Amino acid sequence: MNKTVNINLAGIFFHIDEDAYLKLQRYLEAIKRSFTDSQGRSEIIADIEARIAELFSERVQNEKQVIRIKEVDEVISIMGQPEDYLVDDEIFEDEPQPTYKAKSAPSKKLFRDTENSYISGVSSGLGHYFGIDAIWIRLAWILLIFGAGTGILLYILLWILVPEAKTTTEKLMMKGEPVNISNIEKKIKDGFESVTDTVSGVAKNVSDSVSNAAKQVDVKKGANSIKSSSRTFFDTLGDIIMFFFKILAKFIGIILILIGAATLIALIIGLFSLGVVDIIHIPGLDLVDLANTGNTPIWLVSLLAFFAIGIPFFFLFYLGLKILINNLKSIGGIAKFSLLGLWLLSIIALVVIGIRQANEHAFKEYHIEKTQIPIRAMDTLNIKMTHNEIYNTGFNRSRSNFKLAHDDNGGKAIYASNIEILVKSTTDSIATIAIEKSADASSYDIAIDRAKQINYNFELRNKTLFLDSYLTTDPINKYSDQEVDIILYIPENTVVLFNNSTKSFLNYRKHDGNVISSKSVNHHMRILDNNSECLDCTEEDFELNIDAEGVKINDDGIIINADDSHIKIDENGIKAETDEVKVNIDSNGINIKTEN
């Protein structure tokens, strides 16, 4: 087992194998010896170390990975050996010199060249990247600004997004030159020679004649002054724009942190609340358990929902921190992919649970119980709803209302108000009540078993039929959309009087053989053949509903259909149509149209 060493290379920490460390140390010492008498030695060494650190970072997959001799050899092959080239000032003379050739092909990267800029260096950087003179890029900007009008926005975006080439490595990459020891040394020495040439040029100008010197200095000073003023103005403008963009970014980061933190705290509180459900009663949780027909543990659903919702909001919170804190340490690739995998598993599990829950309502089955009641033609039958103090609907039921409560025997039961009353005429001499029970399940057998276990009661006393306003069933059956339809088959010429308590349990209209609607409550209704008539209705609440072949009369008006004609009479007027004539009589007058 080899020992590992922690090193700090150009401000970046690495774990390196001891043998690899010794080889890297010898390599750097050889480079330093090569530049002992070179001008700008410290700058060259610093840029070389920065480049080596960058190459190591490209090869490290995570923070814990150890750099071995293989990675050191790869970096040395790219940077080159000191003996591969001359390392003194002679390499910058005019005569040809041997140079080191990088093994890897150089690739250009886009940077802003502020050394050759008038505003921000965008044009110079694009010129280096595409291999053309910057003057053509600047002409293109002028055409975009004064032509399409989008040039300013595009320029500002590039100014913000494209980084400036600051280090020697970035300047070499901007021009597509290999980033090795030779080029780093040459680039830095070029900078020193440029400064030397500038100083020499100034000294020479001083020794020239006064008139020529003044003329040259004035021209050069004026040009440099214009360029310097231009750069200063646009640099200041850029700093102002970047300042406001940074403020906006920080504000967005704070918003993301607040949203992410608030959501995570709420999810954690909800998750721990379910953990102490046996100690602290949470109102409404028993109803959730009743609706959980798939019998999936609630704590498991809550945990999966916590991961499915919490992980995206955690990354939202982390993104906000990254925006606010520039040097925030990364959570690492392993943690990121682990959280992503956990999130995907949670989503898949919730989908499976949802499918399982939906499957519990895939089949609906009915169980019908019929009972004759001693009501005959010419009798008067009163119908009322009764309620239970445990489950008091107030006679204003909702088909989605249900609760878990103790019944009269002290046991728990599900109470629900899914009750509907239908009235149909019959030619039988005696009335019949049919209790149609229904429930959902994942199969027909389970559904019909749940339907049979629905408890519903009624009672006839002194020609008054008392109907329960609720149904009950054992909690083991869960809430599986249990329903009870009460179908009353009443002999013709029997009079029925529905109490006001039945109004919400009756259908609002007559249809499919149902001859009594909710509008008929508190009125004596005579049962006719597939219809009914009101015996004590006033003109205001009189209701007529006739639906015979070719004729339909109801609250909407009168409609008469024949083979080749159609007549409709309603509150808007009269419309009559045949194949040849159309007549419309309304408040606007009489309108007659013919095909001819």
Side-chain angles (χ1 to χ4, degrees):
M1 181 181 292
N2 294 333
K3 184 190 297 182
T4 60
V5 180
N6 296 329
I7 63 172
N8 183 348
L9 192 61
I12 305 175
F13 287 94
F14 295 100
H15 302 287
I16 185 169
D17 183 88
E18 185 177 23
D19 295 338
Y21 168 73
L22 294 175
K23 185 169 186 177
L24 177 63
Q25 188 179 40
R26 292 193 298 269
Y27 177 68
L28 291 175
E29 289 175 352
I31 292 174
K32 291 177 181 178
R33 288 194 300 270
S34 300
F35 295 110
T36 301
D37 300 324
S38 298
Q39 194 175 23
R41 177 178 181 272
S42 59
E43 289 84 354
I44 295 173
I45 298 300
D47 280 329
I48 290 173
E49 291 182 351
R51 177 55 178 166
I52 293 174
E54 181 182 356
L55 292 173
F56 279 154
S57 298
E58 293 175 357
R59 286 158 175 77
V60 172
Q61 301 297 325
N62 56 70
E63 296 179 355
K64 296 183 179 180
Q65 182 176 338
V66 177
I67 296 174
R68 305 188 184 279
I69 291 182
K70 176 184 176 183
E71 286 79 19
V72 175
D73 290 338
E74 291 177 357
V75 171
I76 293 175
S77 67
I78 294 174
M79 298 298 295
Q81 295 285 354
E83 61 267 18
D84 289 339
Y85 50 85
L86 297 177
V87 294
D88 54 20
D89 292 342
E90 294 177 359
I91 66 173
F92 298 102
E93 296 178 359
D94 294 337
E95 56 269 31
Q97 299 292 340
T99 59
Y100 169 74
K101 294 183 180 179
K103 294 184 179 181
S104 59
S107 60
K108 290 184 180 180
K109 290 188 177 181
L110 182 59
F111 291 94
R112 288 187 291 112
D113 184 8
T114 55
E115 293 181 352
N116 300 291
S117 67
Y118 281 95
I119 300 177
S120 64
V122 172
S123 299
S124 299
L126 290 172
H128 291 305
Y129 188 77
F130 293 109
I132 59 177
D133 198 295
I135 187 66
W136 300 109
I137 304 294
R138 294 187 176 104
L139 289 175
W141 286 123
I142 294 173
L143 293 176
L144 287 174
I145 292 171
F146 292 101
T150 58
I152 296 177
L153 179 60
L154 181 59
Y155 189 91
I156 293 174
L157 287 175
L158 290 175
W159 189 353
I160 295 171
L161 299 176
V162 177
E164 175 187 353
K166 295 180 180 180
T167 65
T168 304
T169 298
E170 291 173 345
K171 293 174 182 178
L172 290 172
M173 295 172 68
M174 177 178 65
K175 296 181 179 180
E177 299 179 7
V179 185
N180 50 37
I181 300 175
S182 177
N183 284 336
I184 291 174
E185 179 193 15
K186 183 176 182 301
K187 184 69 175 177
I188 293 177
K189 286 192 173 183
D190 283 345
F192 281 106
E193 289 184 357
S194 176
V195 173
T196 303
D197 292 342
T198 302
V199 174
S200 300
V202 172
K204 184 177 181 181
N205 288 338
V206 172
S207 64
D208 291 341
S209 62
V210 175
S211 58
N212 291 336
K215 185 177 180 180
Q216 291 175 3
V217 169
D218 289 342
V219 172
K220 187 173 183 179
K221 183 178 180 181
N224 289 336
S225 176
I226 294 172
K227 185 174 181 180
S228 177
S229 300
S230 170
R231 292 184 61 183
T232 302
F233 170 75
F234 285 109
D235 286 343
T236 303
L237 180 62
D239 292 340
I240 294 173
I241 294 174
M242 288 300 297
F243 172 77
F244 283 107
F245 270 101
K246 288 179 180 179
I247 293 295
L248 179 61
K250 300 297 183 184
F251 177 75
I252 294 174
I254 293 173
I255 296 297
L256 294 179
I257 289 174
L258 291 176
I259 294 175
T263 305
L264 289 174
I265 291 172
L267 289 172
I268 291 172
I269 293 174
L271 183 64
F272 279 98
S273 297
L274 291 173
V276 296
V277 65
D278 294 333
I279 302 174
I280 302 174
H281 177 70
I282 300 177
L285 193 61
D286 51 354
L287 300 182
V288 175
D289 184 62
L290 291 179
N292 182 21
T293 53
N295 289 321
T296 305
I298 295 177
W299 65 265
L300 177 60
V301 178
S302 302
L303 186 64
L304 294 173
F306 174 80
F307 289 130
I309 301 173
I311 290 176
F313 278 94
F314 168 76
F315 280 108
L316 199 68
F317 174 79
Y318 180 71
L319 177 61
L321 288 178
K322 291 283 285 184
I323 293 174
L324 287 180
I325 306 173
N326 295 329
N327 58 345
L328 182 68
K329 187 177 180 181
S330 174
I331 62 175
I334 295 178
K336 290 178 181 178
F337 284 107
S338 298
L339 288 174
L340 178 61
L342 183 60
W343 179 76
L344 290 174
L345 288 175
S346 301
I347 293 295
I348 293 172
L350 286 175
V351 170
V352 171
I353 291 173
I355 294 174
R356 181 181 177 185
Q357 182 76 8
N359 188 51
E360 290 295 325
H361 297 272
F363 298 93
K364 192 176 190 71
E365 191 54 79
Y366 299 85
H367 173 70
I368 301 176
E369 300 172 355
K370 290 186 177 182
T371 305
Q372 288 186 337
I373 55 178
I375 299 296
R376 304 177 182 276
M378 308 305 295
D379 287 343
T380 298
L381 174 64
N382 297 314
I383 302 172
K384 296 181 179 181
M385 305 300 295
T386 61
H387 70 277
N388 189 303
E389 294 297 335
I390 299 174
Y391 186 72
N392 187 0
T393 63
F395 304 124
N396 288 311
R397 58 101 187 193
S398 172
R399 296 184 71 87
S400 59
N401 283 345
F402 70 96
K403 67 178 294 188
L404 182 65
H406 290 85
D407 57 22
D408 296 333
N409 299 322
K412 286 187 176 181
I414 297 176
Y415 287 75
S417 57
N418 293 349
I419 310 293
E420 186 172 9
I421 302 173
L422 301 172
V423 180
K424 298 184 178 182
S425 63
T426 179
T427 57
D428 295 341
S429 60
I430 191 170
T432 301
I433 181 172
I435 306 300
E436 185 179 273
K437 305 174 182 179
S438 63
D440 296 341
S442 58
S443 67
Y444 284 115
D445 294 337
I446 299 176
I448 196 169
D449 184 62
R450 287 179 178 175
K452 289 180 179 180
Q453 294 188 49
I454 296 174
N455 300 314
Y456 183 78
N457 299 313
F458 64 91
E459 183 182 7
L460 180 66
R461 294 197 308 265
N462 299 324
K463 296 188 179 180
T464 298
L465 182 62
F466 296 94
L467 303 172
D468 281 352
S469 60
Y470 58 91
L471 62 87
T472 63
T473 188
D474 194 283
I476 197 173
N477 296 313
K478 300 293 184 177
Y479 180 73
S480 304
D481 198 23
Q482 286 92 344
E483 297 178 358
V484 170
D485 287 339
I486 305 168
I487 307 173
L488 296 173
Y489 295 94
I490 307 298
E492 295 178 10
N493 293 319
T494 301
V495 177
V496 294
L497 175 62
F498 281 87
N499 184 269
N500 190 62
S501 60
T502 63
K503 185 171 184 178
S504 63
F505 296 87
L506 290 165
N507 201 286
Y508 73 96
R509 65 187 179 92
K510 301 176 182 179
H511 70 98
D512 298 333
N514 178 42
V515 298
I516 299 294
S517 69
S518 58
K519 300 176 184 178
S520 305
V521 296
N522 293 329
H523 292 295
H524 289 82
M525 304 296 297
R526 186 189 301 277
I527 303 301
L528 304 176
D529 181 15
N530 202 30
N531 206 343
S532 65
E533 65 174 350
C534 183
L535 301 180
D536 55 3
C537 294
T538 62
E539 184 178 353
E540 289 78 11
D541 55 14
F542 175 75
E543 178 182 357
L544 180 63
N545 193 328
I546 297 176
D547 190 358
E549 183 178 357
V551 179
K552 187 173 184 180
I553 304 174
N554 53 28
D555 294 339
D556 297 329
I558 301 173
I559 299 176
I560 302 174
N561 291 311
D563 294 337
D564 57 354
S565 63
H566 172 78
I567 298 175
K568 181 178 181 180
I569 304 172
D570 56 20
E571 59 184 6
N572 296 321
I574 301 174
K575 291 183 180 180
E577 295 182 5
T578 65
D579 294 338
E580 298 180 353
V581 180
K582 294 182 180 180
V583 179
N584 188 7
I585 303 173
D586 54 21
S587 59
N588 297 322
I590 301 175
N591 185 8
I592 301 175
K593 292 182 180 180
T594 62
E595 296 296 330
N596 299 326

Coordinates of all heavy atoms in Angstrom, one line a residue, residues 161-224:
L161 N -20.8 37.0 -20.5 CA -20.6 35.6 -20.4 C -19.2 35.1 -20.8 O -18.7 34.1 -20.2 CB -21.6 34.9 -21.4 CG -23.1 35.1 -21.1 CD1 -24.0 34.5 -22.1 CD2 -23.5 34.6 -19.7
V162 N -18.5 35.8 -21.7 CA -17.2 35.4 -22.1 C -16.1 35.9 -21.1 O -16.1 37.1 -20.8 CB -16.9 35.9 -23.5 CG1 -15.4 35.5 -23.9 CG2 -17.9 35.4 -24.5
P163 N -15.3 35.0 -20.5 CA -14.3 35.5 -19.5 C -13.2 36.2 -20.1 O -12.9 36.0 -21.3 CB -13.9 34.2 -18.8 CG -14.1 33.1 -19.9 CD -15.3 33.6 -20.6
E164 N -12.5 37.0 -19.3 CA -11.3 37.7 -19.8 C -10.1 36.8 -19.7 O -9.9 36.0 -18.7 CB -11.1 39.0 -19.0 CG -9.8 39.7 -19.3 CD -9.6 40.9 -18.3 OE1 -10.5 41.1 -17.5 OE2 -8.5 41.5 -18.4
A165 N -9.2 36.9 -20.7 CA -7.9 36.1 -20.7 C -7.0 36.9 -19.8 O -6.4 37.9 -20.2 CB -7.4 36.0 -22.1
K166 N -6.8 36.4 -18.5 CA -6.0 37.1 -17.5 C -4.6 36.4 -17.4 O -3.6 37.0 -17.4 CB -6.7 37.1 -16.2 CG -8.0 37.9 -16.2 CD -8.6 37.9 -14.8 CE -9.9 38.8 -14.8 NZ -10.6 38.8 -13.5
T167 N -4.6 35.1 -17.3 CA -3.4 34.4 -17.0 C -2.7 34.1 -18.4 O -3.3 34.1 -19.5 CB -3.6 33.0 -16.3 OG1 -4.4 32.2 -17.1 CG2 -4.4 33.3 -15.0
T168 N -1.4 33.7 -18.3 CA -0.6 33.3 -19.5 C -1.2 32.1 -20.1 O -1.3 32.0 -21.4 CB 0.8 33.1 -19.1 OG1 1.4 34.2 -18.4 CG2 1.7 32.8 -20.3
T169 N -1.7 31.2 -19.3 CA -2.3 30.0 -19.9 C -3.6 30.3 -20.7 O -3.8 29.8 -21.8 CB -2.7 29.0 -18.7 OG1 -1.5 28.6 -18.0 CG2 -3.4 27.8 -19.3
E170 N -4.4 31.2 -20.2 CA -5.6 31.6 -20.9 C -5.3 32.3 -22.1 O -6.0 32.2 -23.2 CB -6.5 32.4 -19.9 CG -7.1 31.6 -18.8 CD -7.8 32.5 -17.8 OE1 -7.6 33.7 -17.8 OE2 -8.6 32.0 -17.0
K171 N -4.2 33.1 -22.1 CA -3.9 33.9 -23.3 C -3.4 32.9 -24.4 O -3.6 33.2 -25.6 CB -2.8 34.9 -23.0 CG -3.4 36.1 -22.1 CD -2.3 37.0 -21.7 CE -2.9 38.1 -20.7 NZ -1.8 39.0 -20.2
L172 N -2.6 31.9 -24.0 CA -2.2 30.9 -25.0 C -3.3 30.1 -25.6 O -3.4 29.8 -26.8 CB -1.2 30.0 -24.4 CG 0.2 30.6 -24.0 CD1 1.0 29.6 -23.2 CD2 1.0 31.0 -25.3
M173 N -4.3 29.7 -24.7 CA -5.4 29.0 -25.1 C -6.3 29.8 -26.0 O -7.0 29.3 -27.0 CB -6.2 28.5 -23.9 CG -5.5 27.5 -23.1 SD -6.3 27.0 -21.5 CE -7.8 26.2 -22.2
M174 N -6.4 31.1 -25.8 CA -7.2 32.0 -26.6 C -6.6 32.0 -28.1 O -7.4 32.1 -29.0 CB -7.1 33.4 -26.0 CG -7.8 34.5 -26.8 SD -7.8 36.1 -26.1 CE -6.0 36.4 -26.1
K175 N -5.3 31.9 -28.2 CA -4.7 31.9 -29.6 C -4.5 30.6 -30.2 O -4.0 30.4 -31.3 CB -3.4 32.7 -29.5 CG -3.5 34.1 -29.1 CD -2.2 34.8 -29.1 CE -2.3 36.3 -28.7 NZ -1.0 37.0 -28.7
G176 N -4.9 29.5 -29.4 CA -4.8 28.2 -29.9 C -3.4 27.6 -29.9 O -3.1 26.6 -30.5
E177 N -2.5 28.2 -29.1 CA -1.1 27.7 -28.9 C -1.0 26.7 -27.8 O -1.7 26.8 -26.8 CB -0.2 28.9 -28.6 CG -0.2 30.0 -29.7 CD 0.7 31.1 -29.4 OE1 1.5 31.0 -28.4 OE2 0.7 32.1 -30.1
P178 N -0.1 25.7 -28.0 CA 0.0 24.7 -27.0 C 0.4 25.3 -25.6 O 1.3 26.2 -25.6 CB 1.1 23.8 -27.5 CG 1.1 24.0 -29.0 CD 0.7 25.4 -29.2
V179 N -0.2 24.9 -24.6 CA 0.1 25.4 -23.2 C 1.2 24.5 -22.6 O 0.9 23.6 -21.9 CB -1.1 25.5 -22.4 CG1 -0.8 26.2 -21.0 CG2 -2.3 26.3 -23.0
N180 N 2.4 24.8 -23.0 CA 3.5 24.0 -22.4 C 4.6 25.0 -21.9 O 4.4 26.2 -21.9 CB 4.1 23.1 -23.5 CG 4.5 23.8 -24.8 OD1 4.9 25.0 -24.7 ND2 4.3 23.2 -25.9
I181 N 5.7 24.4 -21.3 CA 6.7 25.3 -20.7 C 7.3 26.3 -21.6 O 7.5 27.4 -21.3 CB 7.8 24.4 -20.0 CG1 7.1 23.4 -19.0 CG2 8.9 25.2 -19.4 CD1 8.1 22.4 -18.4
S182 N 7.6 25.8 -22.8 CA 8.2 26.7 -23.8 C 7.4 27.9 -24.1 O 7.9 29.0 -24.2 CB 8.5 25.8 -25.1 OG 9.1 26.7 -26.1
N183 N 6.1 27.7 -24.4 CA 5.3 28.8 -24.8 C 5.0 29.7 -23.6 O 4.8 30.9 -23.8 CB 3.9 28.3 -25.4 CG 4.1 27.7 -26.8 OD1 5.0 28.1 -27.5 ND2 3.3 26.8 -27.2
I184 N 4.8 29.1 -22.4 CA 4.6 30.0 -21.3 C 5.8 30.9 -21.1 O 5.7 32.1 -20.8 CB 4.4 29.1 -20.0 CG1 3.0 28.4 -20.1 CG2 4.4 30.0 -18.7 CD1 2.7 27.4 -19.0
E185 N 7.0 30.3 -21.2 CA 8.2 31.1 -21.0 C 8.3 32.2 -22.1 O 8.6 33.4 -21.8 CB 9.5 30.2 -21.1 CG 10.8 31.0 -20.9 CD 12.0 30.2 -21.3 OE1 11.8 29.1 -21.9 OE2 13.1 30.6 -21.0
K186 N 8.0 31.8 -23.3 CA 8.1 32.8 -24.4 C 7.1 33.9 -24.3 O 7.4 35.1 -24.5 CB 7.9 32.1 -25.8 CG 8.0 33.0 -27.0 CD 7.8 32.1 -28.3 CE 8.0 33.0 -29.5 NZ 7.1 34.1 -29.6
K187 N 5.9 33.6 -23.8 CA 4.8 34.6 -23.7 C 5.2 35.6 -22.6 O 5.1 36.8 -22.8 CB 3.5 33.9 -23.3 CG 2.3 34.9 -23.2 CD 1.9 35.4 -24.6 CE 0.7 36.2 -24.5 NZ 0.3 36.8 -25.8
I188 N 5.8 35.2 -21.5 CA 6.1 36.1 -20.4 C 7.3 36.9 -20.9 O 7.4 38.1 -20.6 CB 6.5 35.3 -19.2 CG1 5.2 34.6 -18.6 CG2 7.1 36.2 -18.1 CD1 5.4 33.7 -17.4
K189 N 8.3 36.3 -21.5 CA 9.5 37.1 -22.0 C 9.1 38.1 -23.0 O 9.6 39.2 -23.1 CB 10.6 36.2 -22.5 CG 11.3 35.4 -21.4 CD 12.5 34.7 -21.8 CE 13.3 34.2 -20.7 NZ 14.6 33.5 -21.1
D190 N 8.1 37.8 -23.9 CA 7.6 38.7 -24.8 C 7.0 40.0 -24.1 O 7.2 41.1 -24.6 CB 6.5 38.1 -25.7 CG 7.1 37.2 -26.8 OD1 8.3 37.3 -27.0 OD2 6.3 36.4 -27.3
G191 N 6.4 39.7 -23.0 CA 5.8 40.8 -22.2 C 6.9 41.7 -21.7 O 6.9 43.0 -21.8
F192 N 8.0 41.1 -21.2 CA 9.1 41.9 -20.7 C 9.8 42.7 -21.8 O 10.2 43.8 -21.7 CB 10.2 41.0 -20.0 CG 9.7 40.7 -18.6 CD1 9.3 39.4 -18.3 CD2 9.8 41.6 -17.6 CE1 8.9 39.1 -17.0 CE2 9.4 41.3 -16.3 CZ 9.0 40.0 -16.0
E193 N 10.0 42.0 -23.0 CA 10.6 42.7 -24.1 C 9.8 43.8 -24.6 O 10.3 44.9 -25.1 CB 10.9 41.7 -25.3 CG 12.0 40.7 -24.9 CD 12.2 39.7 -26.1 OE1 11.5 39.9 -27.1 OE2 13.1 38.9 -26.0
S194 N 8.4 43.7 -24.6 CA 7.6 44.7 -25.0 C 7.7 46.0 -24.1 O 7.8 47.1 -24.6 CB 6.1 44.3 -25.0 OG 5.2 45.3 -25.3
V195 N 7.9 45.7 -22.8 CA 8.1 46.8 -21.9 C 9.5 47.5 -22.2 O 9.6 48.7 -22.2 CB 8.0 46.3 -20.4 CG1 8.4 47.5 -19.5 CG2 6.6 45.9 -20.1
T196 N 10.5 46.7 -22.4 CA 11.8 47.2 -22.7 C 11.8 48.0 -24.0 O 12.4 49.1 -24.1 CB 12.8 46.0 -22.9 OG1 12.8 45.2 -21.6 CG2 14.2 46.5 -23.1
D197 N 11.1 47.5 -25.0 CA 11.1 48.2 -26.3 C 10.4 49.6 -26.1 O 10.7 50.6 -26.7 CB 10.3 47.4 -27.4 CG 11.1 46.2 -27.8 OD1 12.4 46.2 -27.5 OD2 10.5 45.2 -28.3
T198 N 9.3 49.6 -25.3 CA 8.6 50.8 -25.1 C 9.5 51.9 -24.4 O 9.5 53.0 -24.8 CB 7.4 50.5 -24.2 OG1 6.6 49.6 -24.9 CG2 6.6 51.8 -24.0
V199 N 10.3 51.4 -23.4 CA 11.2 52.3 -22.7 C 12.3 52.8 -23.6 O 12.6 54.0 -23.7 CB 11.8 51.6 -21.5 CG1 12.9 52.5 -20.8 CG2 10.7 51.3 -20.5
S200 N 12.8 51.9 -24.5 CA 13.9 52.3 -25.4 C 13.3 53.3 -26.4 O 14.0 54.3 -26.8 CB 14.4 51.1 -26.1 OG 15.0 50.2 -25.2
G201 N 12.1 53.0 -26.9 CA 11.5 54.0 -27.9 C 11.3 55.3 -27.3 O 11.5 56.4 -28.0
V202 N 10.9 55.4 -26.0 CA 10.8 56.7 -25.4 C 12.1 57.5 -25.3 O 12.2 58.7 -25.6 CB 10.1 56.6 -24.0 CG1 10.1 57.9 -23.3 CG2 8.7 56.0 -24.1
A203 N 13.2 56.7 -24.9 CA 14.5 57.3 -24.8 C 15.0 57.8 -26.2 O 15.6 58.9 -26.3 CB 15.5 56.3 -24.2
K204 N 14.7 57.1 -27.2 CA 15.1 57.5 -28.6 C 14.4 58.7 -29.0 O 14.9 59.6 -29.7 CB 14.9 56.3 -29.5 CG 15.4 56.6 -30.9 CD 15.2 55.4 -31.8 CE 15.7 55.6 -33.2 NZ 15.5 54.5 -34.1
N205 N 13.1 58.7 -28.7 CA 12.3 59.9 -29.1 C 12.8 61.2 -28.5 O 12.7 62.3 -29.0 CB 10.8 59.7 -28.8 CG 10.1 58.7 -29.7 OD1 10.6 58.4 -30.8 ND2 9.1 58.0 -29.2
V206 N 13.2 61.0 -27.2 CA 13.8 62.2 -26.5 C 15.0 62.8 -27.2 O 15.2 64.0 -27.2 CB 14.1 61.8 -25.0 CG1 14.8 62.9 -24.3 CG2 12.8 61.5 -24.3
S207 N 15.8 61.9 -27.7 CA 17.1 62.3 -28.4 C 16.8 62.9 -29.8 O 17.8 63.4 -30.4 CB 18.0 61.1 -28.5 OG 17.5 60.1 -29.3
D208 N 15.7 62.8 -30.3 CA 15.4 63.3 -31.7 C 15.2 64.9 -31.6 O 15.2 65.4 -30.5 CB 14.1 62.7 -32.2 CG 14.3 61.3 -32.6 OD1 15.5 60.9 -32.7 OD2 13.3 60.5 -32.7
S209 N 15.0 65.5 -32.7 CA 14.9 66.9 -32.7 C 13.6 67.3 -32.0 O 12.7 66.5 -31.9 CB 14.8 67.4 -34.2 OG 13.7 66.8 -34.8
V210 N 13.5 68.5 -31.5 CA 12.4 69.0 -30.7 C 11.1 69.0 -31.5 O 10.1 68.6 -31.1 CB 12.7 70.4 -30.1 CG1 11.5 71.0 -29.4 CG2 14.0 70.3 -29.2
S211 N 11.2 69.5 -32.7 CA 10.0 69.7 -33.5 C 9.4 68.3 -33.9 O 8.2 68.1 -33.8 CB 10.3 70.5 -34.8 OG 11.3 69.8 -35.5
N212 N 10.3 67.4 -34.3 CA 9.8 66.1 -34.7 C 9.3 65.3 -33.5 O 8.3 64.6 -33.6 CB 10.9 65.3 -35.4 CG 11.3 65.9 -36.8 OD1 10.4 66.5 -37.4 ND2 12.5 65.6 -37.3
A213 N 10.0 65.5 -32.4 CA 9.6 64.8 -31.2 C 8.3 65.2 -30.7 O 7.4 64.5 -30.3 CB 10.7 64.9 -30.1
A214 N 8.1 66.6 -30.7 CA 6.8 67.1 -30.3 C 5.7 66.7 -31.2 O 4.6 66.3 -30.7 CB 6.9 68.7 -30.3
K215 N 5.9 66.7 -32.5 CA 4.9 66.2 -33.4 C 4.5 64.8 -33.2 O 3.3 64.5 -33.1 CB 5.4 66.5 -34.8 CG 4.3 66.2 -35.9 CD 4.8 66.5 -37.3 CE 3.8 66.2 -38.3 NZ 4.3 66.5 -39.7
Q216 N 5.5 63.9 -33.0 CA 5.3 62.5 -32.9 C 4.6 62.2 -31.5 O 3.6 61.5 -31.4 CB 6.6 61.7 -32.9 CG 7.2 61.7 -34.4 CD 8.5 61.0 -34.4 OE1 8.9 60.4 -33.4 NE2 9.2 60.9 -35.5
V217 N 5.1 62.9 -30.5 CA 4.5 62.7 -29.2 C 3.1 63.2 -29.1 O 2.2 62.5 -28.6 CB 5.3 63.4 -28.1 CG1 4.6 63.4 -26.8 CG2 6.7 62.8 -27.9
D218 N 2.8 64.3 -29.8 CA 1.4 64.8 -29.8 C 0.5 63.9 -30.5 O -0.6 63.6 -30.0 CB 1.4 66.2 -30.5 CG 2.0 67.3 -29.6 OD1 2.2 67.0 -28.4 OD2 2.3 68.3 -30.1
V219 N 0.9 63.3 -31.6 CA 0.1 62.4 -32.4 C -0.2 61.1 -31.6 O -1.3 60.7 -31.4 CB 0.7 62.1 -33.8 CG1 -0.1 61.0 -34.5 CG2 0.7 63.4 -34.6
K220 N 1.0 60.6 -31.1 CA 0.9 59.3 -30.3 C 0.1 59.5 -29.0 O -0.7 58.7 -28.7 CB 2.3 58.8 -30.0 CG 2.3 57.4 -29.4 CD 3.7 56.8 -29.3 CE 3.6 55.4 -28.8 NZ 5.0 54.9 -28.7
K221 N 0.4 60.6 -28.4 CA -0.3 60.9 -27.1 C -1.8 61.1 -27.4 O -2.6 60.6 -26.6 CB 0.3 62.2 -26.5 CG -0.3 62.5 -25.1 CD 0.3 63.7 -24.5 CE -0.3 64.0 -23.2 NZ 0.3 65.2 -22.6
G222 N -2.1 61.8 -28.5 CA -3.6 62.0 -28.8 C -4.3 60.6 -29.1 O -5.4 60.4 -28.6
A223 N -3.6 59.8 -29.8 CA -4.2 58.5 -30.2 C -4.4 57.6 -28.9 O -5.4 57.0 -28.7 CB -3.4 57.8 -31.2
N224 N -3.3 57.6 -28.1 CA -3.3 56.8 -26.9 C -4.3 57.3 -25.9 O -5.0 56.6 -25.2 CB -2.0 56.7 -26.2 CG -1.0 55.9 -27.0 OD1 -1.4 55.0 -27.7 ND2 0.3 56.1 -26.8

